[in-house]
Amino acid sequence: MRAVRTFSIIPSLPERLKPLLEIAYNLWWTWNSDAVELFRRVNRELWREKNHNPIALLGSLKQETINELLESESFLEHLDSVTQELKEYMSEKTWYDNTINNREKFRIAYFSAEFGLHESLPMYSGGLGVLAGDHLKSASELGLPLVGVGIAYTNGYFNQILKEDGWQFERYPVNDFYNMPIQLQRRENGDVILIEVEYPEGKAYAQIWKLTVGRVPLFLLDTNIPKNPESMREISSKLYGGDIEMRIRQEILLGIGGVKALRALEIEASVFHMNEGHSAFLTFERMREFVQEKNLSFKDALEAVTMGSVFTTHTPVPAGNDRFSPELIKKYFASYKNVFGIKYEDFFGLGRENPSDIQEFFCMTVLAIRTSSYSNGVSKLHRVVSRNMWKQIWPGVPTDEIPVFSITNGIHAASWISDEIRILFNRYVGKKWQTDPADQTIWKRVENIPDAELWRGHERMRERLIGFTRKHLSKSLLNRGATASEIAVAQEVLDPKALTIVFSRRMAEYKRAYLLFMDIERLKTILNNKKCPAQIILAGKAHPHDNVGKEIIKSIITISNQPEFRRKIVFIEDYDIRVARYLVQGADVWLSTPRRPLEASGTSGMKAQFNGGINISTLDGWWCEAYNGENGWAIGSEEIFEDKNFQDHLESKALYNILEKEVIPKFYDRGSDGVPKEWGRLMKKAMTSICPVYNTNRMVKEYFEKFYFPSFQRAKNFSEDDFAKSRGLRKWKEKLRDNWSQIQVVRFDCDDKVTYSIGEDIRIQADIRLGMLSPEEVIVEAYYGELGFGQELREGASVQMSHDANQTRGDGNERLYHYFGTVRFKTSGQGGISIRVFPKNPELSSKFIPGLIHWAPSEANHNSNHSGNQ
């Protein structure tokens, strides 16, 4: 029988204990060790049983336990202390308060398909979500006026279940939002706030849940409500679940529904940050608002939306970017196309690298790039990869000038470090490590930590990891129906004193977990050295449809069951934030082996580093910019071979060499006090070089200073006087496109010499026909560099040329403008020079507008032996 009415039931606590609920509903507790210990003290066994979920914990308390808490003077003092600490945190001045004087209606809306905040909120799959969670936490620390927007998944991501042979199966647990630190949003009269999202078959209704992350609210949309038919309820059922049509329905909910949710909550955002392309449909809804509510034309609305949009791509391969067929886009967005009053070809062009290619699918990443003022990758190498991936959006622009920038990822340090390290940092580095971890000067104080204290603290973390691994493995074996003798062996695996190597991440082929197992005999020798033993812990899930990833897991477990490895290699089932915390805190060595350049960034190695773990990694993602030769080890070089098998074998051997010749000798070279001096020095060097840079406080500051605040100022500027500047910029761009084909580089000359010395001036001049455009509307540059294959300029540099008004000739469209300048080469070899023309406007956020760049044709070069290529 179905219920006639439903209610929200919250834990009932006496007045003296009600502050526990206030703390529980603010995820600040997740990175405050005193608050975590407070909940642990309530009932340690129940805390573990409820997966560290304080609402479920408090809702399960027996009256007997409540009475004990009321009678415990030390517990009540602890409660008062944490309550006061939270109040002070919420009211104290922040970096934003002290830095930014502008108090106008500035708010950032941060959209992400997943948020990994804590293991008690399983609505994340991996790195993207954990990064988004850490982004919100650091935004809170800095005091940024930011709100998060996402989806409340009924099933979240799957639990990993491994059969006896190691094959992965998936189980999807149901999230009970009413027993989580999450609150349904209601109007003052108590009615649930609902939004409507249009789909081809009708409306879907979504309710809004709120998570409080310190000072930052996170709003999550949920369609699993009785008012919806089953097909609509499924939209928010599974993270990355279903077919391509379910994907577009979820992304409509996230993007379009997310904007509508902010409106329903009366939250006015001025900057919209799309964390990956999943939420890019938000730009359609924002354009619709501008067209229907502000009476802007589609093109003016597009300009207005672009001014306040920021986009971050995390995907280094084309296949990882969502693409939808034109038929699917037409099915779901016919109403938006009609509101915009444009042709389907123009509508589809928003998501195509080549807008005129009718065969090309609609790409969410392209839509996000085309509708954002700023786009970025998540490491310096990923910037290079992304520029190459998306260069077709800017035809004619050299790849190294494509306007995709980089802000390297980081971690929220307080969420990931152990209590042992936290105590050492507070004592020797100072508490500013948490409030301002990007201050490089404070991290020099890591050298003040006594070697013995740092080492003993790390040993305790390793011992805790081994204890956790034994329990976890025993429980997994019990669930699989293992025998008592098998479980007894599990309780003795690993050595708390041995060098512990950890590999944990999504089990995808390109991450190459198998690299460590390519020479089994050599691995046996390394792990079973009686004087200097080593051991390996692995963890990670394969995507439900990734059979290659599942085969990798199965093969690893088969190897681990060999007698020589049974106590030396352990695969931990069901990797999540809780498991990750033990791993990053207890690892001696954090191993990462992605095939370059397929790791956009990676952050798990950063977490290990904050806890004293040492990284061994291929030079990919964040490591190729963090590695300095003294803070860890690099596997191989930056070279990429066409033969993947050859590269795998080469780098596998390099890894074994590093372990045998570098890692193991340093780890076991102990002083009389049992402390490895050289290893301790390495730990400190790594901490001092990595901790001040690879944290999300630095990262979020960069987003604010480089993207958020400039976008806010531009959006505000363009909205004034009934969007006068936005309209003006749109008209100017139309004028450019209508007249761009009239531009001609008629003559291009440089000094009549065939040889120059490095640094010697090369004087250049050009006559250029601009048609209906004026010199004030364009920039003319000389572009020069080394000549590569096919006379192509590579790794070029540019210098702006000056307009000489006195040498202007002709009238009207035939007028010739004279430009001159000087070029100096910095390296020897065969060089080349070309001339290019592109738009000039102080209101542009990027140097280039897609499709508007004109290069001098070869025949324009009359007197030059140095001019290169088109």
Side-chain angles (χ1 to χ4, degrees), residues 23 150 154 244 264 316 325 458 550 577 665 668 674 698 736 775 799 852:
I23 298 166
T154 306
I244 191 66
S325 69
H458 186 72
K550 291 183 179 182
I577 286 178
Y668 285 104
R698 181 274 309 159
L736 287 177
V799 60
L852 297 183

Side-chain angles (χ1 to χ4, degrees), residues 604-639:
S604 56
M606 304 172 191
K607 297 169 187 132
Q609 190 57 77
F610 269 84
N611 288 285
I614 307 301
N615 278 274
I616 303 177
S617 176
T618 47
L619 288 168
D620 197 13
W622 76 285
W623 188 238
C624 63
E625 61 190 85
Y627 175 65
N628 63 14
E630 296 183 330
N631 56 2
W633 288 277
I635 301 169
S637 64
E638 297 182 351
E639 193 169 2

